[in-house]
Amino acid sequence: MTAYETTIGLEVHMQINTKSKVFCECSTEFGAEPNSHTCVICTSQPGAIPILNKKAVEAVIKTGLALGFTINKQCTFARKQYFYPDVPKNYQITQAEPPLCSHGKIAITVDGKEKILNITRIHLEEDAGKLVHEIGARKLDYSLLDLNRASVGLMELVTEPELTSAQEAEAFLTELKNIVQYLGASECSMEEGKMRCDVNVSIRPVGQTELGTRVEIKNMNSISGIVAAITYEAQRQKEVLISGGKLTQETRLWEAEEGVTKSMRSKEGALDYRYFPEPDLVPFNLPDSFIEEIRAQIPELPKAKKTRFIAEYALSDYDADYLTSTRIIADYYETALAASKDKKAAAKPLANWISTELNGKLNAEKKDICDSPVTSENLAKLIELILNGTISGKIAKTVFDDMYANSSKPEDVVKAKGLVQISDESALIKLAQEAIDETPKAVAEFKAGKERAVGSLVGAVMKKSKGQANPQLVNKILLELLKK
Ligand SMILES: [Zn+2]
């Protein structure tokens, strides 16, 4: 039987992170009252002239530079003509040739193997408005148009058809999202439609050089959906060919609830967009100094940061991976470290507390680390209290709960609740002796050679001290008493 291989190309739209739209001064704020962020330009009133937002151009170039693209210094715009009700002027301002960025790369790792993927282009364009369909609904039987999103700046990134599996597509999109978020060029929030993806899938017999018939799956808005759609589509195409059928070049839609793709339109009558130069935006050249200024603003990217975290802070691969998974988490960690007295000793416990305790609580409330009630400085202080023996690790969890619930400072919580660790030997000897007297079974086991039995005695002392005894010291005292 013929063996087939899958080829995937992606077109990713990312909303550029600017306060105002790309050709007018309207706000890009998400979730505002419909049509409240509109003006004569983005609603396409006759005679309105677009004005290019410099910050949007900067964001596209910054992304291009970070991904190793060649920046085309000539900046030109074109009108892409088509009729759709969410674009009142019946054309979209975009870049035809050349795009701002040509030929970039992204490295991904799948199953421990690194692969470099080529990206054809990134260009700047404006978004369309949004239709809200209510046809068949009980209250309404028509569509509504919201133009808040019209003319919001987008960067469109097009890959070469070099991805060969759903897992590679997932790794590519995750890496892209992470880098672009690090750059601050886009928030890439797929839930808010700030990152959308068209997926081209084809299959061909292994060994064949030319690509098979391509199917485009439009407007995907979650990575898990993309993975499921590619898996489904590759299998569907294989079944068509195996049963002797023929594939048609078409656009399909992913029906998430049914887990299938459905034909939307065939490509045979493909649209001719009749691109022509945008007369209201005169072509201009980007000065070298402008590009170099942007290059200087590129921050350390996730991969480089991870390598540095491992080298500089002696973290495990796992910890470094988690801490660099977003720029906000990495910044939180490094701010906490900077506030620590003994950076070397604090590096590992800080990483642990962020990835387990803090992350656990934030996750439970679906909060981001930037909304953390525990500041990085306060977490650093808590670690310091553990390291200098003021509180035990167990008490620290109680203190942390209070810090999280009330945004309080750890030293205030320790003071107010009288939680200082008991390291007074004579007090601990007294409690240890009580524990020995009350637990003859554990003592007998210990004397019979079962060293682990001391654990239950430590537990008993901790309980008597309401968790405030210094556990290392308790352990030492118990061993001394038992060996007497
Ligand atoms: Zn506007």
Side-chain angles (χ1 to χ4, degrees), residues 24 26 38-39 42:
C24 66
C26 291
T38 53
C39 70
C42 53

Side-chain angles (χ1 to χ4, degrees), residues 43-228:
T43 56
S44 322
Q45 310 286 314
I49 304 284
I51 305 150
L52 180 60
N53 183 339
K54 185 180 164 198
K55 290 244 182 296
V57 177
E58 283 175 5
V60 177
I61 293 176
K62 197 187 249 188
T63 306
L65 289 171
L67 298 175
F69 276 83
T70 304
I71 307 301
N72 298 309
K73 288 176 203 160
Q74 200 198 26
C75 191
T76 57
F77 289 93
R79 288 185 178 183
K80 182 180 174 181
Q81 322 266 340
Y82 63 98
F83 174 75
Y84 203 68
D86 59 5
V87 185
K89 59 191 169 198
N90 289 335
Y91 64 82
Q92 177 188 27
I93 303 176
T94 180
Q95 294 188 296
E97 290 305 328
L100 268 176
C101 315
S102 303
H103 310 298
K105 284 177 177 36
I106 272 190
I108 58 161
T109 306
V110 174
D111 293 334
K113 266 200 217 151
E114 194 183 65
K115 180 170 172 179
I116 310 282
L117 292 162
N118 291 294
I119 313 168
T120 321
R121 60 187 283 152
I122 309 177
H123 66 258
L124 174 61
E125 62 181 34
E126 62 178 339
D127 207 345
K130 197 170 106 189
L131 280 175
V132 185
H133 304 286
E134 293 288 349
I135 296 165
R138 204 161 284 181
K139 281 193 210 149
L140 300 166
D141 202 6
Y142 43 77
S143 296
L144 295 167
L145 176 58
D146 177 6
L147 290 172
N148 279 351
R149 221 174 62 184
S151 207
V152 163
L154 293 179
M155 45 184 166
E156 180 176 342
L157 177 148
V158 182
T159 73
E160 293 290 315
E162 291 179 346
L163 297 146
T164 58
S165 68
Q167 290 64 40
E168 284 188 9
E170 181 181 23
F172 176 87
L173 289 167
T174 308
E175 185 70 18
L176 173 68
K177 193 173 164 184
N178 198 3
I179 292 173
V180 173
Q181 283 174 335
Y182 257 78
L183 294 169
S186 170
E187 290 172 13
C188 295
S189 140
M190 294 183 97
E191 312 80 65
E192 293 183 2
K194 290 177 179 173
M195 182 174 181
R196 282 128 49 196
C197 197
D198 298 342
V199 186
N200 291 304
V201 183
S202 66
I203 62 165
R204 62 182 167 192
V206 174
Q208 178 180 307
T209 38
E210 79 196 74
L211 293 173
T213 305
R214 177 168 62 114
V215 163
E216 184 181 34
I217 311 165
K218 274 273 183 208
N219 256 329
M220 301 292 302
N221 55 11
S222 82
I223 293 182
S224 59
I226 290 167
V227 168

Side-chain angles (χ1 to χ4, degrees), residues 223-483:
I223 293 182
S224 59
I226 290 167
V227 168
I230 292 173
T231 310
Y232 172 85
E233 185 56 24
Q235 185 59 27
R236 183 192 70 85
Q237 293 185 15
K238 209 183 280 179
E239 280 164 19
V240 169
L241 293 184
I242 289 171
S243 65
K246 224 178 152 223
L247 292 165
T248 42
Q249 189 174 337
E250 60 180 344
T251 302
R252 295 177 77 90
L253 279 181
W254 173 243
E255 299 286 347
E257 276 176 28
E258 296 166 64
V260 299
T261 60
K262 281 187 183 164
S263 188
M264 188 174 131
R265 60 168 184 256
S266 92
K267 271 271 165 143
E268 277 157 295
L271 291 168
D272 173 5
Y273 291 118
R274 290 185 297 119
Y275 284 94
F276 77 78
E278 165 59 61
D280 291 333
L281 289 162
V282 184
F284 62 96
N285 283 316
L286 298 165
D288 286 333
S289 57
F290 176 70
I291 296 171
E292 288 319 307
E293 251 170 57
I294 297 170
R295 196 190 301 277
Q297 292 164 20
I298 294 178
E300 181 179 40
L301 294 175
K303 250 191 194 143
K305 206 182 270 291
K306 185 183 160 185
T307 310
R308 180 170 66 79
F309 274 23
I310 293 173
E312 207 167 302
Y313 308 133
L315 297 179
S316 66
D317 195 73
Y318 176 87
D319 281 343
D321 217 35
Y322 172 75
L323 292 174
T324 56
S325 59
T326 72
R327 187 174 166 183
I328 308 170
I329 299 177
D331 287 349
Y332 184 96
Y333 176 68
E334 290 208 285
T335 313
L337 211 51
S340 302
K341 268 192 191 149
D342 185 346
K343 292 180 180 48
K344 211 171 162 196
K348 180 72 186 162
L350 261 176
N352 283 341
W353 278 79
I354 294 170
S355 67
T356 55
E357 301 299 322
L358 183 59
N359 185 34
K361 282 192 188 286
L362 291 170
N363 261 346
E365 291 182 19
K366 293 199 161 54
K367 271 187 180 169
D368 261 341
I369 200 162
C370 47
D371 308 314
S372 167
V374 178
T375 64
S376 43
E377 288 79 6
N378 280 342
L379 186 61
K381 185 78 197 165
L382 179 72
I383 305 293
E384 203 178 300
L385 294 175
I386 303 170
L387 289 174
N388 69 18
T390 306
I391 55 173
S392 65
K394 197 161 171 230
I395 291 288
K397 292 201 175 154
T398 315
V399 178
F400 182 79
D401 287 346
D402 194 301
M403 290 165 67
Y404 192 91
N406 307 309
S407 303
S408 45
K409 290 183 176 171
E411 59 272 33
D412 293 347
V413 181
V414 169
K415 213 170 172 186
K417 296 194 174 172
L419 294 172
V420 177
Q421 180 164 261
I422 305 170
S423 295
D424 169 9
E425 278 205 45
S426 58
L428 291 180
I429 290 171
K430 191 169 160 271
L431 294 177
Q433 193 56 56
E434 277 176 36
I436 288 171
D437 295 345
E438 289 162 15
T439 332
K441 194 169 162 256
V443 176
E445 282 177 0
F446 180 83
K447 299 229 157 135
K450 200 174 159 198
E451 298 239 333
R452 278 213 325 256
V454 78
S456 62
L457 291 166
V458 174
V461 177
M462 293 309 290
K463 210 168 170 189
K464 283 176 182 293
S465 70
K466 297 190 177 69
Q468 281 171 251
N470 177 334
Q472 283 81 28
L473 200 53
V474 170
N475 198 60
K476 187 182 140 248
I477 292 170
L478 278 167
L479 289 176
E480 281 168 9
L481 290 175
L482 288 167
K483 281 173 183 163

